[in-house]
Amino acid sequence: MPTFQENLERYADLLVRVGVNLQPGGKLQLNAPIDAADLARLIAKKAYEAGALVVDVRYSDPLLARATYEAASDAALDYFPAWGAEESLHKIEEGYAYLSLTGSDPDVLAGVDPTRIARSSKAYGLGMKRVADLMSASAVNWSVAGIATPGWARKVFPDLEVDEAVAKLWEAIFTVSRADVDDPVTAWREHTATLRRVVDHLNERRYDALHFTGTDTDLTVGLADNHIWAGGSEVAQTGIEAVPNIPTDEAFTAPHRDRVNGHVRATKPLSVRGTLVEDIRVRFENGRVVEATASRGQDTFVQLLDTDEGARHLGEIALVAASAPVARTGVLFYNTLFDENAASHIALGRAYSINVEGGLDAMAASGANDSLIHVDWMIGSADMNVDGIREDGTTEPVMRAGEWAF
Amino acid sequence: MPTFQENLERYADLLVRVGVNLQPGGKLQLNAPIDAADLARLIAKKAYEAGALVVDVRYSDPLLARATYEAASDAALDYFPAWGAEESLHKIEEGYAYLSLTGSDPDVLAGVDPTRIARSSKAYGLGMKRVADLMSASAVNWSVAGIATPGWARKVFPDLEVDEAVAKLWEAIFTVSRADVDDPVTAWREHTATLRRVVDHLNERRYDALHFTGTDTDLTVGLADNHIWAGGSEVAQTGIEAVPNIPTDEAFTAPHRDRVNGHVRATKPLSVRGTLVEDIRVRFENGRVVEATASRGQDTFVQLLDTDEGARHLGEIALVAASAPVARTGVLFYNTLFDENAASHIALGRAYSINVEGGLDAMAASGANDSLIHVDWMIGSADMNVDGIREDGTTEPVMRAGEWAF
Ligand SMILES: [Zn+2]
Ligand SMILES: [Zn+2]
Ligand SMILES: [Zn+2]
Ligand SMILES: [Zn+2]
């Protein structure tokens, strides 16, 4: 059995070679919480060994963000410098790959006034809108992966000593990321080929809508005109094929912002800005959330819906087999990157322009949604059925009892 | 006696209110090693409480830098992006204050090929030249202060357990930074007034040169034409008075690059890019180092001298009373910010444009030196005498046995 250090090295190598598929002479921006310094250094080493011209590491600090939300004036929360997006735009123009590590304590912002967080997020979202648009259009390769931190591990395994919890969380990350096998790069090649077959089938069938049925759920999700299913690896505008999310087990596309009807319940809790929102139930009418309840965190959830006009419409529908590795671990990660691969899900807010033919410019006309937010939440389960509805009204099974049915 | 946490809060407050003297609505960039996250958060809090509009924290990681020097290609070491200085130039234009925390393990780069470090430093120095020029001309307020880290504390107190060493190093930092008194802000007001009297006296006397005599030292340092002595607080081009170094006990000015003659020995070891250089002895002829030896680290020191043409000339001469607090602690900090306040010192390399009338544009004509480097090393001791030589050749005592003599 490989040691922890061996697994960590394989993982770093996987993120560089598969996650962003860094080329010789390539430029890399690595975003990492300060807790992830060990892994960040290892990734920098692997990237330079792969021939990187520059690895620019940007450390973030969730506790600093918390201190800011608590102490900053309203003017400070609203502040975003006029030149704040310039460096990112330079980097995108030069084809930098972006690798981001996520793994903060999901509760790090618990108790902070959510209106203050929303205020700051909105200022940042507005200031960085062009960058987010380019990223969602895959102007450059980007990838997001996990890092086990004490704060996160404590949340996932509250009954273990913290060292044990961190070790166990790393083990889970390595497993669902397929990093603990002999040859992770080959394993990923096979895995993305499998997802490619699903995506190709769905693109070939060109469904007008999907119909979800299951416990407390009867939802029809119209798909955007000229929608494109994506999943697994993706070819960025740089021409380089890479994997935006590690792990990833989803096939996803853009819903039509005005053609979603029915009701749906969340099958997992959702962590919104530090608040856990439980038992979400939502009703859609003509694409818009007209009713939303939760047994816990309802205020926070409604605040999220009120971020802007697009926040009450869907920007993503994603299908995940109930037998995917994240589901098999049985672990609730309290982190979307992982939990979204445990179940089929929908996202409120911004659609990805890669999910529409013609990209960014064609989104509005195709009915793809726009918003400052993009928040995924799980609706899938082992009792979920999904049918594809074709233009002529005929239906075909897509999933049965949570598994692919074609 | 105040607790550690109380001292840390006073220290954070001191750095914000005295170090950069942040104004309501002010903008702050805080540069901190990831080890300094606790203090960084506290400083952000104090800054926002003082009315900051934005606190932009940039975390650095010395071990990441080490990984880069070890694994990066030569092309990567030489790389600096064309737009790399833009953000700093925006910030300077907008009057951001810069607060930097220093406290890495002095040996963190030990064993790394110094030519690789020099290569990378040179690329950075060239790319950021305009920014460094503006900073040295006090275009905005900036301040540098210390942070006790385990790696640094182990070096300073090798015989103590690491926790004890860190506690003791903090104690020393608080003491020499005058942060552990009841009212640090008032203590600093008095301290900078004392330094102001020294600086005013030296500016009034307008010496042509200083003559240093002591053990193994007989050195005449010609001063730049129209030189200006500075020390303690400084009024930046923003009009705001602040303190560039905490602690600071020096009065300093610009030597004439071509009028330094004689020999001098270092009275303390010098840490250069992770290598400790000991027993430096140097001979100057017409301003240029023509002979340089060291009992340890001589290669590293000579490499430093060969960075560029200006690296063999002096850019600073600084006078410090042998009774200053850093000297009184008896601690060798292995960190210039602290050790330079234990003794009179000289710096190889770039002069500060604030030390010449007319500033940046007047430097070359005044004989002030330019270089990519600025490295201070200690020549003062309790047996050092310093005389001021006036234009007419008469001399006056400036220091006797290491203490002010006027
Ligand atoms: Zn998704
Ligand atoms: Zn999503
Ligand atoms: Zn100095
Ligand atoms: Zn200096």
Side-chain angles (χ1 to χ4, degrees):
Chain A
M1 223 179 93
T3 64
F4 169 73
Q5 193 57 34
E6 285 164 350
N7 274 334
L8 200 66
E9 293 230 7
R10 282 183 198 185
Y11 186 55
D13 198 52
L14 174 70
L15 301 187
V16 170
R17 292 174 61 196
V18 173
V20 292
N21 189 10
L22 195 75
Q23 305 294 303
K27 299 171 182 177
L28 177 64
Q29 164 138 345
L30 173 58
N31 300 316
I34 54 176
D35 277 351
D38 281 342
L39 180 59
R41 294 165 197 149
L42 208 48
I43 289 170
K45 179 169 174 271
K46 296 287 181 190
Y48 281 121
E49 286 170 3
L53 183 62
V54 58
V55 181
D56 194 352
V57 179
R58 292 301 169 96
Y59 282 112
S60 59
D61 175 5
L63 286 173
L64 177 71
R66 189 184 168 100
T68 301
Y69 295 133
E70 287 175 344
S73 66
D74 284 353
L77 292 176
D78 291 340
Y79 179 77
F80 190 84
W83 42 264
E86 277 180 21
E87 182 170 317
S88 298
L89 294 173
H90 281 303
K91 285 178 168 169
I92 291 169
E93 202 174 355
E94 293 185 5
Y96 270 66
Y98 278 71
L99 178 56
S100 300
L101 302 178
T102 164
S104 299
D105 177 356
D107 294 339
V108 69
L109 298 182
V112 177
D113 178 356
T115 61
R116 292 178 63 77
I117 304 175
R119 204 163 174 153
S120 171
S121 302
K122 192 163 177 174
Y124 182 85
L126 282 169
M128 295 293 276
K129 179 85 168 65
R130 173 89 189 120
V131 172
D133 282 347
L134 287 166
M135 287 295 183
S136 95
S138 292
V140 294
N141 295 94
W142 56 263
S143 188
V144 183
I147 153 93
T149 64
W152 183 21
R154 234 182 342 248
K155 177 80 184 180
V156 179
F157 301 110
D159 298 334
L160 300 182
E161 293 293 313
V162 66
D163 284 1
E164 237 181 303
V166 169
K168 204 161 159 145
L169 181 53
W170 266 126
E171 216 177 280
I173 291 173
F174 293 148
T175 299
V176 301
S177 305
R178 298 169 161 84
D180 58 357
V181 298
D182 273 348
D183 183 354
V185 174
T186 301
W188 268 89
R189 201 165 296 136
E190 288 163 11
H191 174 50
T192 54
T194 304
L195 282 171
R196 176 62 47 208
R197 277 191 297 276
V198 169
V199 162
D200 286 350
H201 172 82
L202 292 168
N203 279 327
E204 186 266 317
R205 300 310 290 157
R206 309 203 57 71
Y207 295 122
D208 181 59
L210 296 182
H211 183 213
F212 294 80
T213 48
T215 310
D216 293 334
T217 290
D218 186 340
L219 183 73
T220 302
V221 177
L223 302 181
D225 306 347
N226 306 311
H227 65 270
I228 300 171
W229 286 89
S233 65
E234 206 166 280
V235 180
Q237 290 175 34
T238 56
I240 298 163
E241 181 174 357
V243 178
N245 285 345
I246 289 188
T248 186
D249 292 273
E250 60 172 349
F252 64 101
T253 194
H256 193 291
R257 69 187 304 287
D258 299 323
R259 298 203 293 111
V260 179
N261 286 285
H263 61 276
V264 61
R265 59 143 199 178
T267 49
K268 306 226 176 209
L270 171 67
S271 178
V272 178
R273 298 168 184 159
T275 300
L276 205 68
V277 184
E278 289 184 273
D279 302 318
I280 299 172
R281 279 153 204 267
V282 156
R283 195 162 62 78
F284 289 90
E285 260 180 38
N286 299 324
R288 189 162 183 280
V289 173
V290 291
E291 235 182 273
T293 62
S295 66
R296 195 184 145 191
Q298 181 169 318
D299 287 359
T300 301
F301 188 65
V302 169
Q303 206 144 36
L304 183 75
L305 293 175
D306 290 340
T307 307
D308 54 21
E309 200 278 330
R312 280 184 183 261
H313 294 259
L314 290 189
E316 179 188 347
I317 172 76
L319 302 178
V320 178
S323 60
V326 174
R328 267 187 282 124
T329 62
V331 174
L332 176 60
F333 286 86
Y334 296 92
N335 182 313
T336 300
L337 175 65
F338 292 84
D339 291 325
E340 74 164 341
N341 290 301
S344 295
H345 56 272
I346 52 184
L348 291 163
R350 168 203 303 274
Y352 292 105
S353 58
I354 56 161
N355 286 134
V356 170
E357 266 172 46
L360 259 186
D361 299 336
M363 289 180 77
S366 302
N369 192 35
D370 194 16
S371 168
L372 293 176
I373 68 162
H374 176 103
V375 177
D376 302 273
W377 47 285
M378 309 308 122
I379 61 168
S381 67
D383 79 351
M384 170 80 82
N385 292 331
V386 185
D387 289 283
I389 306 175
R390 306 204 60 177
E391 198 84 54
D392 63 8
T394 58
T395 69
E396 298 172 358
V398 173
M399 297 186 107
R400 284 292 172 267
E403 300 298 324
W404 302 114
F406 51 83
Chain B
M1 222 179 93
T3 65
F4 170 73
Q5 194 56 35
E6 284 164 350
N7 274 333
L8 199 66
E9 293 230 7
R10 281 183 199 186
Y11 186 56
D13 198 52
L14 175 69
L15 302 187
V16 169
R17 292 176 60 197
V18 173
V20 293
N21 189 10
L22 195 74
Q23 305 293 304
K27 299 171 181 176
L28 177 64
Q29 164 137 347
L30 173 58
N31 300 315
I34 54 176
D35 278 351
D38 282 343
L39 181 58
R41 294 164 196 151
L42 209 46
I43 289 169
K45 180 169 172 269
K46 296 287 181 188
Y48 281 122
E49 286 171 0
L53 184 62
V54 58
V55 181
D56 193 351
V57 179
R58 292 302 168 97
Y59 282 112
S60 60
D61 174 6
L63 286 172
L64 177 72
R66 188 186 169 98
T68 302
Y69 296 133
E70 288 175 344
S73 66
D74 284 353
L77 292 177
D78 291 339
Y79 178 77
F80 189 84
W83 42 264
E86 277 180 20
E87 183 171 316
S88 298
L89 294 172
H90 281 303
K91 285 178 169 171
I92 290 169
E93 203 174 354
E94 292 185 5
Y96 271 66
Y98 278 71
L99 178 56
S100 299
L101 301 178
T102 166
S104 299
D105 177 357
D107 294 338
V108 70
L109 298 181
V112 176
D113 178 355
T115 60
R116 292 176 64 74
I117 303 175
R119 202 162 176 155
S120 171
S121 301
K122 193 165 176 171
Y124 182 84
L126 282 168
M128 294 293 275
K129 179 87 169 66
R130 174 88 188 122
V131 172
D133 282 348
L134 288 167
M135 287 295 183
S136 95
S138 292
V140 294
N141 295 94
W142 55 264
S143 188
V144 184
I147 153 95
T149 64
W152 183 22
R154 231 180 347 244
K155 177 80 183 179
V156 179
F157 301 110
D159 298 334
L160 300 182
E161 293 293 314
V162 65
D163 284 1
E164 236 180 304
V166 169
K168 203 158 161 152
L169 182 53
W170 267 126
E171 215 177 281
I173 291 173
F174 293 149
T175 298
V176 302
S177 304
R178 298 171 161 83
D180 58 357
V181 297
D182 273 348
D183 182 354
V185 174
T186 301
W188 269 90
R189 201 166 294 139
E190 287 163 11
H191 174 50
T192 53
T194 303
L195 283 171
R196 177 62 47 209
R197 279 192 295 276
V198 169
V199 162
D200 286 350
H201 172 83
L202 292 168
N203 278 328
E204 187 265 317
R205 300 311 289 157
R206 310 202 57 70
Y207 294 122
D208 181 59
L210 295 182
H211 183 213
F212 293 80
T213 48
T215 309
D216 293 334
T217 291
D218 185 342
L219 184 72
T220 302
V221 178
L223 301 182
D225 305 346
N226 307 312
H227 65 269
I228 299 171
W229 287 88
S233 65
E234 206 167 279
V235 180
Q237 291 175 36
T238 54
I240 298 163
E241 182 174 359
V243 178
N245 285 344
I246 288 186
T248 187
D249 293 274
E250 61 171 350
F252 64 101
T253 193
H256 192 289
R257 72 188 302 287
D258 299 323
R259 298 202 294 111
V260 179
N261 285 285
H263 61 276
V264 63
R265 58 146 199 176
T267 48
K268 306 227 175 208
L270 171 67
S271 179
V272 178
R273 295 164 186 162
T275 300
L276 205 67
V277 184
E278 290 184 272
D279 302 319
I280 299 171
R281 278 155 204 267
V282 155
R283 196 161 63 76
F284 287 90
E285 261 179 37
N286 298 325
R288 188 163 183 278
V289 173
V290 292
E291 237 182 271
T293 63
S295 66
R296 196 183 145 193
Q298 181 168 319
D299 287 0
T300 302
F301 188 65
V302 170
Q303 207 144 34
L304 183 74
L305 293 174
D306 290 340
T307 307
D308 54 20
E309 201 278 328
R312 280 184 184 260
H313 294 259
L314 289 190
E316 178 188 350
I317 172 76
L319 302 178
V320 178
S323 61
V326 174
R328 268 188 281 125
T329 62
V331 174
L332 175 60
F333 285 87
Y334 296 92
N335 182 312
T336 300
L337 175 65
F338 292 84
D339 291 325
E340 74 163 344
N341 291 301
S344 295
H345 56 271
I346 51 184
L348 291 164
R350 169 203 303 273
Y352 293 107
S353 58
I354 55 159
N355 287 132
V356 170
E357 266 172 43
L360 258 187
D361 298 336
M363 289 181 77
S366 303
N369 192 35
D370 194 15
S371 168
L372 293 177
I373 68 162
H374 177 102
V375 178
D376 302 272
W377 46 285
M378 309 308 122
I379 61 168
S381 67
D383 80 350
M384 170 78 85
N385 291 330
V386 184
D387 288 283
I389 306 176
R390 305 204 60 176
E391 197 84 55
D392 62 9
T394 58
T395 68
E396 296 173 358
V398 173
M399 298 187 109
R400 284 296 172 264
E403 299 299 326
W404 303 114
F406 50 83

